[in-house]
Each structure stands twice: as C-alpha cells, then as structure tokens.
C-alpha cells in the first residue's frame, strides 16, 4: 500500500532536478529494505490497512453551492442560540411568521416551502418578483404602515415566489431589497422611492388581502395575477366622494367642540371653520404648495371663527371652536407610526416621522397664533382658564366621541364594513378615559395611555380576525384622546406673552400624544399574548422579539 501511495504521489507531484536533496543516496549504492522503510516512514494520516475499500469523498470547492440549498428540499430548521425559538411557523398568520423570521439571524431562519408554484427548470423570475415586492411595499409605506410591517409584507411576497435568501430594508422614503441566490452568486438589488403619501385605508386593506393570498399555501396566484390585482388596487376610486369628506371634516370639528364643552352654536361655528379650512387646504394643494403651508392655512379659519365669537356679546365657549378645529388637524396617525417604528428598532424611520410630526405641529401653531394675535389687537379678550373648565356631560360626550370617530374614519377613506367597529372602539376608549380621569381623578397622561392601550388591543384583535391592517381599527379610534385642549391652551398663553406657562402646556400636550402612541403600541403587543402560535412552547412564544440583551 505504501508503494501504491508513493506511485500516486509521483504521478501527482513529479520531482524536478533542482529539488533533489543533497543527502540523497548516490546512484549505485544499495539500500536494504528495512533501512528504506526507516528513512521513508508511512504518513500518520494514511488510510489504515483493511479500510482501503471505504469510499472516500472526492475533493470539492469550499465555495460550491450547498447540496440542500433549495427551500423546498432543505432540511427542517434547527433550534438556534438561546433567545430564538425552534417553532413550527407554517400555520401562523403571515404577519407573525414573517416578523419572527425577520427578527432572527439569517443562519437560523426556517425555510418553508414557497406558497406559490415556481418553475423548477427556470426558477423564479427574480427581477419581476423584486419589482412586485417593492410596489407592494410602496403602497403600504405610503399608506402610513409601520416600517416593520412593511418589511414583513415584502419578505412574505419574496419568499412566497421562491426568493428565500432576501433582505428587505425600509426607511422613511426609500425601499430596497437584496436577493442572493447562493454564496458564490452575485447579489441582485432593487429599490424604489416613495414620493407621495396619502390616507386611503381602503387601499391599504386591499394590499393586505393581496399579501395574505400570496402567502397562503391553498391559494395559487401567479405573478401575472398579482400584478393585475395590484393594478386594480391602484386604479380603485375612493369609497367616499369629495363632498362627503368635506362634510366629515366639519362634523368632526363640531363633535370635538361638543366634547370639550361647546353648545349648538359652537358646534356649527366649529363645523363651518373646519369646512373653510379644508377647502383652503385643498386649494393650496392644487397649486402645489407643500403640506406645511396647507396646515398653516387650514388652521386659520377655525381660529378666526373662535375669535369672532369671542368679540360678540354671546355667552358661548369660543375656545371650544378653536379646540374642535385643532382635533381635525393634529397628526395622530403620523405620531402613532413614528413611535411604533422607534419602539420596534427602526430609529432612522422613527426620527424622520417625528420630524414630520414636528413640522405639522409647528404649522398648526403658526396658523392659530397669527389669528390669535390679530384678535388680541382687535380687542378680543380670551380667558385661557375657561378652556380647562370642561362641563361633564357623560352621555353627550360619549355620543360626540363616537361621531368624532365615525367622521375621522370617513376622512381616512376606510372600508364601509370597518367603520362600525372602529366607532365602537373609539367610544369604549372615551368611556375608559372618562371613568379614569373624571370619575377616578387619575391624571390625563396615564388615563390616556390606558385608554389607548385598549384601542391597540382591540384593534389588533379585530385586524387579525379580518386579515387586515391594524391601522383602520386604531387610528380613528384615538381621535377623542388627542390633546386639542392642551394645545390650544398653550397657544393662547403664548399669544398673551405668557411664554413659560404656554410652553408647559404644550409640553403636557406632547406628553399626552406620546402616551397615546405608546399605549397603542403596547396594546398591540399585548394582543399577541392571546394568540396561540402552533408548535410553540409557552417559553418560546415571544423569544424572537429579543433583538439584543444589552451586548
């Protein structure tokens, strides 16, 4: 056997003349066999006698494609390091399934079979799948969906069409996705920029249904079918006409003014101011002015109506008119999305959203302050303390809060089938807030956080029941909890040159707004405690949410 090894080595590595050792035995000198064995011993790594018949694996490249690379033929996933569950996610909702896998490192992600049929000979059409994924993510991000939910939807679409080694990335205005077929192939990347944003929750729900159908194993949707449905979603008209949206803005402001103590005259004055502000904002939008100036213009008519009522001799709460107008303008949707992105670890997107909220808030402040300053110069004598003296009318306030939520849902272009659910959710939130704050004497910030937590809890459960986004069930329901009174109180104090007190009231308004956003997110996370993940033990249900442990 040693002789055979030597001959094989001779064939593979022939000795050159320059490589001869100076201590080689001269030619013609005999060497005994035992001495030859001592001078050239057998390698300690050679195959022992009796095992020569065992098949030895042929040498291959370390960069070759793995044998079990395909997602459909790969072995079952193993349990990763502590903190990542070895659960069976096949039967879970696609939101939980994709979110869990996104929070896992790439090397411990399970590889389920693709939900849609992919041609075995040609493989998935990478370019078209990436383009479809980006277009779906664009609609979700433009509709106000959180960054983590957008990434989960993009991940679900890509994996369903056979692209299992992909990484989506979402920021405030840019979506990108990278797909690498194997360790030796070049990655393929694509991106798309979101330039227009809108509040059309009807379209948002339709996109969620499309992603759910693509991710379902029992539904067969080809790429052509998915593109066709996506084109229909883009072409869909809004469920409500323009005149109804304008009327809803007026009713929202009137209901909000009743919520803070206004009467019948205040209701109509606030409604008229909100309608004028909405029409002026649409006029500015048609002329191409940025949203900052649209908010400035929209805040002026309600403030002007309040100042005009204050200058009359009528015994009405003119401050409620301005407060009602502020309820229709405060960016609650953007604030909830910003805090949600921050709490889930998307800090760049959260910072951009918070900056957007700050600009909108400053625009509202500028519009109201200009009108209040002019009113003070004309002899208007507002009394800031009247704003804090809200008359408690439980039944009327509950009805006003439900009208506010109903009209807010119409402004957000929600599906007609969801308006009733979100109206009930908002009414329950106001009842809880009133019981805690007015009856129980609990401060506004914790009362608001608890009520918003119930909104998030019920909204998440309803969205899972209807296989839709949670935003249509949450955003409008937080309308009665928005800090309109604290905002107007601070602006009025600043207009009267009481800067320190005004900034303190605005800080309180910011605290209430953050309590709303955190409460909604916490309620949504708590709802998952009631959801059973098939195959998961009680200790491993939520371990995938632990991104780091402080190191």
């Amino acid at each position: 056997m040693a002789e055979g090894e030597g001959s094989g080595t001779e064939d593979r590595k022939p000795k050159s003349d320059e490589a001869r050792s100076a201590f080689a035995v001269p030619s013609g000198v005999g060497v005994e066999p035992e001495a030859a064995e001592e001078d050239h011993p057998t390698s300690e790594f050679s195959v022992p006698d009796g095992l020569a018949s065992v098949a030895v694996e042929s040498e291959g490249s370390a960069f070759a494609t793995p044998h079990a690379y395909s997602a459909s033929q790969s072995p079952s996933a193993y349990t990763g390091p502590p903190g990542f569950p070895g659960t069976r996610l096949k039967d879970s909702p696609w939101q939980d399934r994709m979110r869990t896998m996104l929070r896992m490192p790439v090397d411990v992600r399970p590889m389920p079979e693709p939900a849609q049929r992919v041609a075995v000979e040609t493989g998935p059409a990478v370019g078209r799948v990436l383009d479809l994924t980006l277009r779906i993510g664009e609609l979700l991000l433009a509709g106000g969906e959180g960054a983590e939910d957008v990434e989960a939807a993009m991940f679900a679409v890509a994996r369903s069409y056979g692209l299992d080694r992909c990484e989506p990335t979402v920021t405030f205005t840019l979506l990108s996705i990278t797909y690498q077929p194997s360790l030796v192939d070049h990655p393929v990347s694509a991106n798309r920029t979101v330039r227009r944003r809108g509040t059309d929750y009807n379209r948002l729900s339709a996109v969620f249904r499309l992603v759910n159908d693509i991710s379902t194993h029992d539904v067969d949707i080809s790429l052509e079918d998915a593109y066709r449905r996506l084109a229909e979603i883009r072409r869909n008209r809004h469920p409500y006409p323009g005149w109804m949206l304008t009327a809803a803005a007026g009713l929202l402001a009137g209901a909000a003014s009743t919520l803070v103590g206004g009467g019948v005259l205040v209701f109509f004055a606030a409604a008229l101011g909100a309608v004028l502000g909405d029409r002026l904002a649409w006029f500015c939008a048609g002329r191409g002015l940025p949203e900052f100036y649209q908010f400035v213009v929209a805040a002026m008519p309600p403030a002007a109506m309040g100042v005009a009522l204050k200058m009359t001799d009528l015994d009405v709460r003119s401050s409620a008119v301005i407060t009602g107008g502020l309820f229709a303008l405060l960016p609650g949707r953007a604030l909830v999305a910003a805090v949600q992105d921050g709490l889930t670890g998307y800090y760049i997107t959260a910072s951009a959203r918070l900056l957007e909220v700050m600009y909108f808030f400053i625009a509202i402040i500028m519009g109201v302050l200009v009108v209040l300053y002019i009113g003070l110069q004309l002899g208007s004598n507002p009394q800031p303390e009247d704003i804090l003296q809200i008359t408690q009318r439980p039944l009327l306030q509950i009805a006003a809060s439900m009208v506010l939520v109903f009209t807010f849902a119409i402004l957000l272009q929600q599906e007609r089938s969801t308006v009733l659910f979100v109206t009930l959710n908002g009414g329950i939130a106001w009842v809880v807030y009133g019981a805690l704050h007015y009856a129980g004497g609990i401060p506004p910030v914790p009362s608001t956080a608890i009520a918003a937590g119930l909104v998030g809890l019920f909204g998440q459960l309803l969205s899972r029941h209807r296989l839709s986004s949670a935003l249509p069930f949450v955003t409008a329901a937080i309308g009665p909890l928005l800090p309109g009174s604290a905002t107007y109180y601070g602006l009025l104090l600043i207009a009267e040159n009481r800067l320190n007190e005004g900034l303190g009231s605005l800080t309180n308004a910011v605290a209430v707004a953050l309590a709303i956003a955190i409460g909604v997110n916490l309620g949504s996370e708590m709802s998952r405690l009631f959801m059973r993940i098939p195959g998961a033990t009680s200790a491993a249900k939520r371990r995938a949410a632990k991104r780091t442990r402080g190191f």
Side-chain angles (χ1 to χ4, degrees), residues 448-474:
T448 303
I450 295 173
L454 291 177
V455 169
L457 174 63
F458 296 148
Q460 191 67 235
L461 294 176
L462 287 171
S463 68
R464 295 307 176 88
H465 175 68
R466 297 179 60 89
L467 301 177
S468 177
S469 171
L471 289 181
F473 301 97
V474 169

Side-chain angles (χ1 to χ4, degrees), residues 332-523:
R333 174 183 60 87
L335 179 65
V336 170
V339 175
Q340 179 181 356
D341 287 342
L343 294 176
T344 53
Y346 295 84
Y347 301 114
I348 296 177
T349 308
S351 302
R353 290 186 189 271
L354 286 174
L355 187 62
E356 180 188 38
V357 171
M358 185 188 72
Y359 271 103
F360 289 162
F361 200 69
I362 292 175
I364 296 170
I365 290 174
M366 289 179 59
V368 175
L369 278 181
V370 168
V371 176
L372 288 179
Y373 181 77
I374 294 175
L376 289 175
Q377 301 303 316
L378 294 177
S380 175
N381 186 23
Q383 297 177 357
E385 289 72 16
D386 293 343
I387 304 171
L388 303 179
Q389 299 174 1
I390 299 177
T391 305
Q392 298 183 24
R393 299 171 294 179
L395 296 180
L396 184 61
Q397 286 178 322
I398 293 174
S401 66
M402 297 182 71
V403 172
L404 190 155
V405 175
F406 178 82
T407 53
F408 200 178
I410 294 177
L411 287 176
L412 294 174
Q413 302 281 359
Q414 291 190 196
E415 293 179 305
R416 291 182 174 89
S417 59
T418 65
V419 173
L420 178 61
F421 293 105
V422 70
T423 301
L424 294 176
N425 198 11
I428 292 173
W430 177 257
V431 169
V432 172
Y433 172 79
L436 293 175
H437 178 57
Y438 295 118
I442 300 176
V445 174
S447 301
T448 303
I450 295 173
L454 291 177
V455 169
L457 174 63
F458 296 148
Q460 191 67 235
L461 294 176
L462 287 171
S463 68
R464 295 307 176 88
H465 175 68
R466 297 179 60 89
L467 301 177
S468 177
S469 171
L471 289 181
F473 301 97
V474 169
T475 305
I478 65 173
L481 304 177
L482 292 175
S485 299
T487 302
Y488 173 60
Y489 181 60
L491 296 180
L492 188 56
L493 291 176
I494 292 176
E496 292 185 343
N497 203 21
R498 298 161 64 178
L499 188 61
N500 293 333
E501 298 179 33
L503 291 178
S505 181
L506 290 180
T507 302
N508 184 35
V510 172
V512 171
L514 291 177
I516 294 174
I518 295 175
V520 168
N521 182 266
L522 182 60

Side-chain angles (χ1 to χ4, degrees), residues 53-278:
S53 60
V54 178
V56 181
E57 184 179 358
S58 59
E59 295 181 1
S61 173
F63 299 97
T65 305
H67 296 293
Y69 163 69
S70 175
S72 59
Q73 301 175 354
S74 60
S76 58
Y78 61 93
T79 303
F84 299 99
T87 62
R88 195 162 41 87
L89 300 173
K90 181 178 179 180
D91 300 325
S92 304
W94 69 265
Q95 297 98 320
D96 291 333
R97 190 168 68 249
M98 296 302 127
R99 187 182 291 110
T100 300
M101 285 193 286
L102 279 174
R103 291 172 176 178
M104 290 181 179
V106 179
D107 56 341
V108 298
R109 286 177 183 171
M111 292 185 178
E113 295 184 4
Q116 305 302 327
R117 282 180 283 206
V118 180
V120 179
E121 298 81 6
T122 59
V126 177
R128 298 194 66 195
V129 172
L130 295 182
D131 179 69
L132 175 67
T133 302
L134 289 173
R135 289 179 183 272
I136 289 177
E138 177 190 12
L139 287 180
L140 292 176
L141 187 63
E145 196 64 59
E148 187 179 34
D149 292 325
V150 176
E151 283 194 2
M154 295 172 63
F155 195 62
V157 174
R159 288 177 67 92
S160 297
Y161 285 110
L163 306 187
D164 54 306
R165 297 178 62 90
C166 62
E167 285 293 335
T169 304
V170 175
T171 59
F172 184 58
T173 57
L174 182 67
L175 301 100
S176 63
I177 187 169
T178 301
Y179 168 67
Q180 188 172 12
S182 66
L183 296 176
V184 295
D185 293 326
H186 295 291
V188 181
S189 298
N191 58 68
R192 194 172 183 88
T193 303
V194 178
R195 302 191 182 278
R196 289 192 61 186
R197 299 177 182 274
T199 54
D200 190 347
Y201 284 175
N202 183 35
R203 177 181 296 175
L204 191 68
S205 300
V207 176
F208 259 76
R209 284 194 294 269
L210 175 59
V211 177
N212 182 72
D213 291 342
I214 292 175
S215 305
T216 302
H217 296 267
D218 300 332
V219 181
D220 184 17
I221 299 180
S222 63
L223 277 174
E224 289 73 17
D225 295 336
Y227 268 107
R228 177 182 54 79
R229 287 183 56 177
L230 191 63
E232 292 176 355
I233 292 172
R234 286 181 174 275
R235 288 195 301 264
N236 269 350
R237 301 185 62 181
H238 299 310
Y240 309 105
W243 65 267
M244 185 176 292
L245 297 179
T246 302
L251 286 176
L252 190 154
S257 65
T258 305
L259 196 65
V260 294
V264 177
L265 181 60
V266 170
F267 177 92
F268 286 104
L272 180 60
V275 168
L276 292 176
D278 180 76

